[in-house]
Amino acid sequence: MANVSLVNVEKTYPNGFQAVKRFNLDIRDGEFIIFVGPSGCGKSTTMRMIAGLEEISSGELWIDGQLANFLEPGQRELSMVFQNYALYPYMSVYENMAFGLRVHKVERSEIDRKVRETARMLQIDHLLDRRPAALSGGQKQRVAIGSVLVREPKLLLMDEPLSNLDAKLRSQMREELAKIHRRFSSTIVYVTHDQVEAMTLADRIVVMKEGEIQQIASPNEIYNNPVNQFVAGFIGSPSMNFLPVRSGVENGNYFLQAGESRLAIPALLAKRIKDQGGFGKELILGIRPEDLHRKKEMSESAGQTGGELQMKVMVREGLGAEVLLHGEIAGENACVKLDPSCGTRPGETIALVPDMTKIKLFDAQTGENLLYLSLKR
Ligand code: ATP
């Protein structure tokens, strides 16, 4: 277990490219932290700086209260699992797992106990005598993780550890990683492209864009209270719908106008928008596919006070438990998630009512979420 702090950490590569800017993060003991963001946003660079594989250009890295900028990787008491995990092909699974402990001159009986216990936990105890060539991708990955876990690292760094696996194995390994984290309570820093991994495994997610942190928060908060349009659009699948809207007031009633459609704004929401100086600005309405409902399904209690959006349906995607309809609302691409009993077909136009308690409003110029609730910690 370890605390890790990054204070104003920056990375400029020798060619002058600044890959990480003003990175500030306090990772608590035992926390599972996940870095997400588009390709090239600096996730791996940050991870490699923590590992000691990349020099820190400026700022401070603290591991357990010790300034770690100049510590060799081996002195940082951390372990790494990468996408392309390496196993020794001529050693058995047992020997692969025992190798790191042997190097550290751990007693033979202690090695045996740790290897067998870890193997049992990862459900690879029946594979201990096999060579890596006789293992499936998922089994190899478990052995790779096992060889790291036997050493009980204080800090575990994982860079896309599951990305080589097929969907089913990935989901199994995801569950196992969650168990491993609970069981070992190691501090884990994890990089992924996979939103489901981030949403299900992380205590906190760090969303990055172009080398900068956009938001650090729990998966729920990131999903429900994104700081800006980038985070809102990046997290969630299918992504949040965005519609340019005009805000206005008529006869004392506040409304949002999206193309031909007009949505009434409930009084409390109107006050929040007013307090944020939102009226009169160009705004982007953000609404998740599951927060749009067929007109007849919508109840008064869900925050609806009037108005609907017309969606021209172009594609119907049946997913079993739900159906996704893709099409256009007010000329913008849009998607709605409905009950599979919905019989709508491509070519039809349907009336949708947004749950006004769930909508987001972004400043069209800055992308900032006007309805962001700043939670004091
Ligand atoms: P991905 O998800 O594609 O792995 P990432 O978020 O992990 O991306 P990094 O690998 O950290 O991104 O790279 C961040 C940026 O730094 C990228 O634009 C990359 O091209 C650049 N970069 C990485 N290594 C070097 C290097 N040695 N010299 C110059 N630029 C580099």
Side-chain angles (χ1 to χ4, degrees):
M1 288 181 278
N3 298 296
V4 180
S5 289
L6 293 102
V7 184
N8 286 324
V9 166
E10 303 206 321
K11 175 69 190 180
T12 305
Y13 279 109
N15 66 357
F17 181 76
Q18 196 176 9
V20 177
K21 303 164 196 164
R22 296 177 298 281
F23 196 103
N24 286 290
L25 173 66
D26 279 320
I27 304 174
R28 296 186 278 264
D29 203 4
E31 204 174 9
F32 201 139
I33 285 279
I34 298 197
F35 295 167
V36 296
S39 183
C41 70
K43 304 180 292 291
S44 298
T45 302
T46 307
M47 177 84 112
R48 290 168 60 79
M49 287 193 285
I50 299 175
L53 301 175
E54 205 67 73
E55 201 176 295
I56 296 173
S57 307
S58 66
E60 294 160 14
L61 169 70
W62 296 82
I63 300 179
D64 274 345
Q66 188 182 9
L67 187 64
N69 289 47
F70 306 108
L71 291 183
E72 290 299 320
Q75 297 174 305
R76 297 187 186 198
E77 292 187 59
L78 48 82
S79 290
M80 286 170 277
V81 180
F82 290 103
Q83 183 177 344
N84 299 310
Y85 39 91
L87 296 176
Y88 299 103
Y90 300 109
M91 289 186 192
S92 66
V93 166
Y94 185 99
E95 287 161 345
N96 263 284
M97 289 178 69
F99 186 77
L101 295 172
R102 286 215 177 105
V103 169
H104 285 94
K105 308 255 182 298
V106 177
E107 217 176 281
R108 184 181 278 265
S109 60
E110 180 68 0
I111 295 179
D112 192 64
R113 189 185 64 74
K114 284 188 170 170
V115 168
R116 291 187 189 281
E117 189 185 314
T118 311
R120 223 177 1 260
M121 219 196 59
L122 290 168
Q123 293 169 24
I124 47 173
D125 41 345
H126 59 298
L127 305 173
L128 286 172
D129 296 330
R130 288 207 202 160
R131 294 260 169 93
L135 300 176
S136 72
Q139 290 168 337
K140 276 187 208 154
Q141 184 61 314
R142 271 184 268 176
V143 175
I145 293 176
S147 2
V148 164
L149 288 179
V150 283
R151 281 177 270 153
E152 296 173 21
K154 289 201 298 189
L155 176 59
L156 188 52
L157 305 181
M158 302 179 123
D159 197 344
E160 309 222 23
L162 308 186
S163 64
N164 281 342
L165 309 180
D166 66 34
K168 183 148 182 263
L169 259 174
R170 250 206 327 260
S171 108
Q172 279 173 6
M173 281 304 293
R174 219 168 40 228
E175 278 174 37
E176 255 158 49
L177 278 178
K179 282 189 213 149
I180 287 168
H181 181 235
R182 275 198 299 274
R183 160 90 165 64
F184 283 81
S185 25
S186 358
T187 307
I188 302 182
V189 184
Y190 191 105
V191 166
T192 185
H193 272 105
D194 185 327
Q195 296 202 19
V196 183
E197 275 171 34
M199 292 298 287
T200 53
L201 289 172
D203 291 317
R204 285 188 299 162
I205 296 178
V206 178
V207 185
M208 296 179 69
K209 180 189 168 200
E210 293 167 10
E212 285 186 274
I213 295 178
Q214 302 291 301
Q215 188 166 9
I216 305 172
S218 70
N220 262 341
E221 193 185 335
I222 294 262
Y223 193 80
N224 295 311
N225 189 28
V227 70
N228 58 29
Q229 190 179 350
F230 173 81
V231 174
F234 191 77
I235 297 287
S237 177
S239 334
M240 186 181 278
N241 297 302
F242 295 120
L243 303 175
V245 289
R246 191 170 59 77
S247 54
V249 56
E250 206 172 72
N251 305 326
N253 297 318
Y254 290 93
F255 64 85
L256 294 173
Q257 187 82 33
E260 304 285 292
S261 306
R262 181 170 284 198
L263 300 170
I265 308 176
L268 263 178
L269 184 57
K271 181 173 181 318
R272 281 178 68 196
I273 301 171
K274 214 160 29 172
D275 290 348
Q276 296 300 318
F279 284 103
K281 270 190 186 160
E282 282 180 55
L283 299 177
I284 305 284
L285 167 68
I287 180 97
R288 294 208 181 268
E290 65 270 28
D291 297 327
L292 284 166
H293 304 271
R294 290 299 295 271
K295 195 176 174 195
K296 55 182 188 298
E297 291 164 1
M298 191 69 193
S299 73
E300 290 284 319
S301 59
Q304 167 59 16
T305 59
E308 62 196 44
L309 298 166
Q310 300 296 321
M311 177 175 181
K312 204 165 123 200
V313 178
M314 291 162 179
V315 176
R316 178 190 165 102
E317 204 181 344
L319 298 178
E322 64 216 11
V323 64
L324 299 179
L325 301 178
H326 302 273
E328 274 185 7
I329 298 178
E332 301 291 325
N333 288 334
C335 174
V336 56
K337 195 185 272 187
L338 296 176
D339 190 84
S341 64
C342 126
T344 308
R345 297 278 141 206
E348 291 175 27
T349 296
I350 54 173
L352 295 171
V353 176
D355 180 342
M356 295 299 277
T357 63
K358 301 279 178 65
I359 66 159
K360 311 289 172 241
L361 282 173
F362 305 99
D363 182 317
Q365 301 303 321
T366 63
E368 177 198 351
N369 178 5
L370 293 185
L371 305 177
Y372 176 70
L373 291 169
S374 174
L375 307 172
K376 296 271 178 293
R377 292 193 178 78

